[in-house]
Amino acid sequence: MTGAAGRIAVIGAGPGGLYFAALARQSAPGREITVFERDGRDDEFGFGVVFSDETLDGIAQADPRVYAAMSAEFARWSDIDVRYAGRVRTCGGHGFAALDRNRLRAILQRRCAELAVDVRYRTPAPPAARLAEEYDLVVAADGINSATRAAFPDAFRPEPDERHSRYMWLATDKVFDAFTFVVERFGFGVLQVHAYPYSAERSTFIVELAEEPWRRAGFEALAAREFARGESDTASVRRCAELLAGHLDGHRLIPNASRWIRFTTVRNASWRHRNVVLLGDAAHSAHFSIGSGTKLALEDALALTASLNEQPTLDGALAAYEAERRPVVESTQRAAQASLEWFETIGRRTGQGPDQFAFNLLTRSRRVTYGSLRERDPGFVAAVEQAVAGTPDARGTPPMFRPLKLGALELRNRVVVPPLATFTAVDALPSAFDRAQLTAHALGGAGLVIAGMTAVTPEGRATDRCPGLWNDHQEQAWRELLDAVRAVSDTPVGIQLTHAGRRAARAVPGPDGSGPPLTEGGWPVIAASPLPWDAGGPLPHEANAVQLAAVTADFAASAERAAQAGFDVLELQFGHGHLLSGFLSPLTNRRTDRYGGPLAQRLRLPLEVLAAVRAVWPAGRPLLVRISASDWAPGGTGEAEAVAICRALAEGGADAVDVSTGEVVAHQRPPYGRGYQTPFAELVRAATGLPTVAVGAISHHDDVNSVLLAGRADLVAVGRAQLYDPLWTLHAAAEQGYAGPGARWPAPWAAGSRRPPGPGSDRAAPRLRLVREPAAPVHRRWRPAPTERPEEER
């Protein structure tokens, strides 16, 4: 049996290429496999690599001999140490296995030799196009700077993303006994280290700095010259050793072709072209702070071999390989991107205490969460909870159920039901459905419920099915709605006021969230500049001075009506491409008068509106502002302007900022994913001191708790999940076994306050072991025992 390919060429004899060659040959001994490698068999590159239990299980099943050889040399431990602000915080229960990359390569070299794989060292591969004519399959495992990928750019369509931070791979003969993060603040900025043991003699030691601290520390001058292939930047290595002497305890830093580099995330639209396929870093890369590129490459090798064996045709095999691996890789890349960006912006978190900082670091990728850490090391999480809350009674209370004082209003918990438009209004009046929805959410346990997208003028409605608050009839309708809600719940209720601007006069949105312009019954639309929302939208009129004065007065009048109707909280919509958002963004404000140009002038109208509303909105009742902190489009609002906007809002009297992003321009490209907008709430909170609301793709209580305990936001808005389950907050309490004051069940529903039993919940498992296996220890350090390698391996 030779599977889908009888003759295979592999470009690159790194671990990924060698492992694929061994597996492909082992599973089909009739295959002819040739591996081309430009370097020598004994040339050494890199240091230690880390593996997950999941990957190791796959290796153990696919090739027990390789797994046995690897596991005999593993460094194993379960602890993570975070060294920060002169303190060490330890979290256990994780589970790591690391190995010298060069030892791994030697193990795979030996396995290829046993299987008679033709590995040609010091033999650069012929061009991939020529190999593709001579072999049935060409596997390009030629690394992050893949020449194969570069040879077929139109086929693979690579999208490399080179970042700004600088890092250097090193080793040290100090053997750390846990995965260790070192975060040190110097006069030039923050320097961080990722260190872990990989043998009885050495540890990997990666030094990283953001671009500006790297320059200020003097490394730019040290690294100014060109280095030959394989040469290390020894001057920078010495400087790192000096700066980090307190963590090296007299041990040395060991370079190996070590120099400052920037990390590049590699993405390709396709991993295959005819009979050429990419593997490992040639196909994809993920930042070292989340995992090992070697790990991903070995997983690729296993999946590619399996697909070749399972599929009757080569084309089908390569399609199956990519279809199987791409979702796994993209999930890893999303986590790696979050981790990468966390370390790039680490300076915004160095005001936190050691416990919260450690928790923030450990949950940076959104893969590790409050719940998973509490399961792995409950003592660590309890200590963080106590430190953050500042009181011993915080233990046992999930962060989402701690109270918060906003203005003079005491919220019983940190969950917000954000404005959720129903598009059920008739004649701009809140409907029976609005009443039912707000009542359900008020009963559902959230700390705050906000009624959605209420226009301050008829022309400010996004659709003809949106409610308004510009006349007595509407004010009375809202008052009656609030009376109905308060008859059954004391949950605070707020209202969001808006003028939709160039997003006005649209049809009710469909499932994709957008609606076409109204063809009948529409109305004139005004905006900062005469730019339609999308290609098919109407051209808005550029608002003149008279209209802008009227907009300010309309917001103030609606705010006054909201107060009289009895709303507890007011939110102003300054984001999502609505009128005031259109003034803030440079993409939608092309004005040349006093309301356009630099940010200070683009802020003028929003601040005039805020001032007018603040003057009529009762003191003590919270006033929130929602912004779009990023336009997700080139030339749009970025982090620096978002911070400047929020500082101005704070000075203007905003009590908190609801930090959203996007929807400002139709050509946006947001990186959707769990909690993808949360970093902006953290940015604003750290830079301005304003309380923030985190929003966007947050639907599980574990993520809510993680955001809050890490200090990324003060409140978390849970939107679509509340549509799925209006009692989301109470159910989250039941699932966590919480029954305190932060989650009050309505008396008529008290009998349902515990999670109902499911199938099999009444079954008790029998004891089937004579001797109980001891539970795995939470804390395990690497304690190497010197071993002698067999003679044939030396």
Side-chain angles (χ1 to χ4, degrees):
M1 172 187 171
T2 58
R7 299 185 70 244
I8 301 174
V10 180
I11 304 174
L18 291 173
Y19 187 52
F20 167 77
L23 289 180
R25 176 78 170 179
Q26 171 190 283
S27 61
R31 284 187 177 123
E32 177 188 328
I33 302 176
T34 305
V35 182
F36 297 90
E37 172 55 52
R38 67 177 179 175
D39 295 311
R41 175 188 177 92
D42 298 322
D43 291 349
E44 294 195 349
F45 298 99
F47 304 106
V49 292
V50 181
F51 296 96
S52 67
D53 290 340
E54 184 179 53
T55 304
L56 293 177
D57 288 344
I59 294 173
Q61 185 278 330
D63 194 328
R65 295 187 65 173
V66 168
Y67 175 76
M70 290 172 61
S71 61
E73 299 191 31
F74 278 144
R76 291 186 179 271
W77 71 97
S78 68
D79 281 356
I80 298 176
D81 287 349
V82 179
R83 300 186 178 191
Y84 162 76
R87 310 289 289 277
V88 179
R89 292 293 181 265
T90 299
C91 181
H94 297 275
F96 295 97
L99 178 68
D100 185 332
R101 183 181 185 276
N102 296 296
R103 289 296 305 143
L104 171 62
R105 203 158 57 93
I107 290 168
L108 294 172
Q109 287 171 344
R110 191 167 64 251
R111 185 61 173 143
C112 284
E114 293 169 354
L115 294 165
V117 174
D118 182 7
V119 184
R120 303 178 183 179
Y121 289 98
R122 301 198 183 282
T123 307
R130 191 200 311 170
L131 289 176
E133 294 175 356
E134 298 173 3
Y135 290 84
D136 298 328
L137 173 64
V138 178
V139 178
D142 50 350
I144 201 162
N145 298 312
S146 169
T148 307
R149 187 180 66 231
F152 303 105
D154 294 337
F156 296 121
R157 302 190 300 283
E159 294 183 2
D161 177 19
E162 185 179 59
R163 308 302 294 192
H164 299 293
S165 292
R166 308 288 184 128
Y167 70 100
M168 180 184 290
W169 283 87
L170 298 161
T172 176
D173 52 7
K174 173 182 169 64
V175 181
F176 287 89
D177 56 3
F179 204 120
T180 303
F181 292 99
V182 177
V183 179
E184 285 282 2
R185 286 180 287 185
F186 295 94
F188 55 76
V190 180
L191 178 152
Q192 63 253 21
V193 173
H194 312 244
Y196 55 86
Y198 64 85
S199 73
E201 298 86 22
R202 289 187 178 181
S203 301
T204 295
F205 199 86
I206 307 170
V207 183
E208 184 180 25
L209 299 94
E211 180 86 1
E212 284 308 308
W214 178 80
R215 294 182 190 280
R216 290 194 294 266
F219 287 116
E220 182 178 27
L222 297 177
R225 69 178 180 85
E226 288 291 324
F227 294 92
R229 186 170 186 268
E231 184 184 6
S232 294
D233 180 357
T234 54
S236 288
V237 175
R238 285 194 299 271
R239 173 79 166 133
C240 289
E242 293 168 2
L243 292 169
L244 295 161
H247 299 281
L248 291 169
D249 300 327
H251 292 269
R252 63 195 173 107
L253 291 180
I254 303 167
N256 183 341
S258 302
R259 64 192 71 172
W260 295 110
I261 53 179
R262 294 187 177 104
F263 187 82
T264 299
T265 299
V266 172
R267 300 179 179 88
N268 289 280
S270 175
W271 297 354
R272 55 199 169 92
H273 172 55
R274 297 176 183 166
N275 64 334
V276 179
V277 66
L278 305 178
L279 183 147
D281 281 351
H284 48 72
S285 63
H287 193 251
F288 55 82
S289 63
I290 197 64
S292 163
T294 301
K295 165 190 175 300
L296 290 175
L298 297 190
E299 292 173 355
D300 283 356
L302 192 154
L304 178 56
T305 303
S307 296
L308 291 170
N309 295 338
E310 293 166 355
Q311 301 297 323
T313 66
L314 178 63
D315 188 61
L318 299 188
Y321 157 68
E322 184 168 351
E324 178 181 333
R325 284 296 293 160
R326 184 176 285 278
V328 177
V329 167
E330 289 179 347
S331 174
T332 300
Q333 287 185 319
R334 284 192 295 272
Q337 187 72 13
S339 180
L340 175 158
E341 292 174 2
W342 193 95
F343 281 109
E344 282 183 337
T345 58
I346 195 170
R348 71 179 57 153
R349 302 168 188 91
T350 51
Q352 293 185 324
D355 297 276
Q356 188 171 50
F357 181 87
F359 181 87
N360 199 332
L361 186 153
L362 294 175
T363 58
R364 68 195 179 277
S365 71
R366 300 192 281 273
R367 276 192 166 182
V368 177
T369 63
Y370 169 84
S372 61
L373 287 180
R374 191 165 63 167
E375 183 177 343
R376 297 176 193 184
D377 190 345
F380 169 79
V381 173
V384 176
E385 289 177 324
Q386 182 174 329
V388 171
T391 173
D393 62 10
R395 293 172 182 253
T397 299
M400 64 185 290
F401 291 114
R402 296 200 191 117
L404 176 71
K405 192 168 186 179
L406 201 58
L409 182 65
E410 183 85 20
L411 303 180
R412 71 171 65 98
N413 63 52
R414 307 297 184 97
V415 179
V416 177
V417 180
L420 298 169
T422 65
F423 301 107
T424 58
V426 177
D427 296 329
L429 294 170
S431 66
F433 195 93
D434 286 315
R435 178 179 297 197
Q437 175 169 289
L438 289 171
T439 303
H441 287 146
L443 289 168
L448 173 63
V449 176
I450 303 178
M453 212 157 68
T454 304
V456 298
T457 67
E459 298 78 19
R461 290 173 296 159
T463 76
D464 60 359
R465 302 302 302 276
C466 290
L469 187 49
W470 62 78
N471 62 37
D472 293 345
H473 193 28
Q474 293 159 351
E475 180 184 328
Q476 181 61 28
W478 282 114
R479 183 181 296 109
E480 291 172 359
L481 184 151
L482 288 174
D483 289 344
V485 172
R486 289 186 176 128
V488 294
S489 172
D490 63 353
T491 298
V493 179
I495 188 168
Q496 183 192 73
L497 298 180
T498 189
H499 187 301
R502 69 188 192 131
R503 299 197 66 180
R506 314 283 292 199
V508 171
D512 64 350
S514 63
L518 289 172
T519 55
E520 295 182 8
W523 51 85
V525 175
I526 63 169
S529 297
L531 302 170
W533 161 250
D534 54 23
L539 186 69
H541 301 286
E542 181 171 293
N544 59 38
V546 173
Q547 290 170 317
L548 296 185
V551 165
T552 301
D554 291 333
F555 268 96
S558 288
E560 196 165 16
R561 290 185 181 280
Q564 291 167 178
F567 283 102
D568 302 292
V569 175
L570 182 67
E571 177 171 278
L572 302 178
Q573 172 62 289
F574 285 9
H576 293 179
H578 287 220
L579 179 63
L580 296 169
S581 169
F583 276 83
L584 290 171
S585 172
L587 296 178
T588 53
N589 187 340
R590 308 287 178 80
R591 302 173 74 99
T592 57
D593 63 1
R594 61 198 296 263
Y595 291 99
L599 178 60
Q601 293 182 193
R602 302 199 309 272
L603 265 164
R604 190 183 302 275
L605 180 65
L607 292 180
E608 288 175 353
V609 168
L610 178 58
V613 169
R614 183 76 273 180
V616 300
W617 183 247
R621 294 196 208 179
L623 174 55
L624 281 60
V625 181
R626 172 171 282 211
I627 68 160
S628 288
S630 171
D631 294 343
W632 300 121
T637 299
E639 290 188 357
E641 285 202 339
V643 168
I645 289 168
C646 291
R647 284 189 177 131
L649 296 177
E651 293 171 2
D655 294 303
V657 182
D658 191 345
V659 187
S660 186
T661 64
E663 299 187 49
V664 176
V665 291
H667 60 277
Q668 64 176 4
R669 294 187 63 188
Y672 292 117
R674 271 176 51 238
Y676 73 104
Q677 298 180 120
T678 300
F680 293 95
E682 184 177 25
L683 165 69
V684 170
R685 188 177 190 266
T688 69
L690 264 177
T692 59
V693 184
V695 304
I698 301 173
S699 59
H700 197 276
H701 58 75
D702 199 13
D703 289 326
V704 174
N705 285 322
S706 298
V707 167
L708 294 169
L709 191 56
R712 298 180 185 123
D714 302 273
L715 294 159
V716 176
V718 178
R720 296 202 176 197
Q722 297 276 3
L723 297 178
Y724 177 78
D725 176 12
L727 272 64
W728 183 92
T729 307
L730 293 179
H731 290 158
E735 289 171 11
Q736 296 174 82
Y738 173 75
R744 294 211 306 266
W745 281 77
W749 292 348
S753 61
R754 286 181 294 179
R755 191 174 189 178
S761 60
D762 58 346
R763 180 183 181 273
R767 177 169 179 166
L768 299 175
R769 290 181 179 272
L770 183 62
V771 179
R772 294 186 189 276
E773 291 186 4
V778 171
H779 298 289
R780 180 181 176 187
R781 316 292 283 190
W782 169 232
R783 300 283 189 261
T787 56
E788 187 73 18
R789 290 181 192 161
E791 184 67 31
E792 67 271 16
E793 292 187 22
R794 294 180 190 173

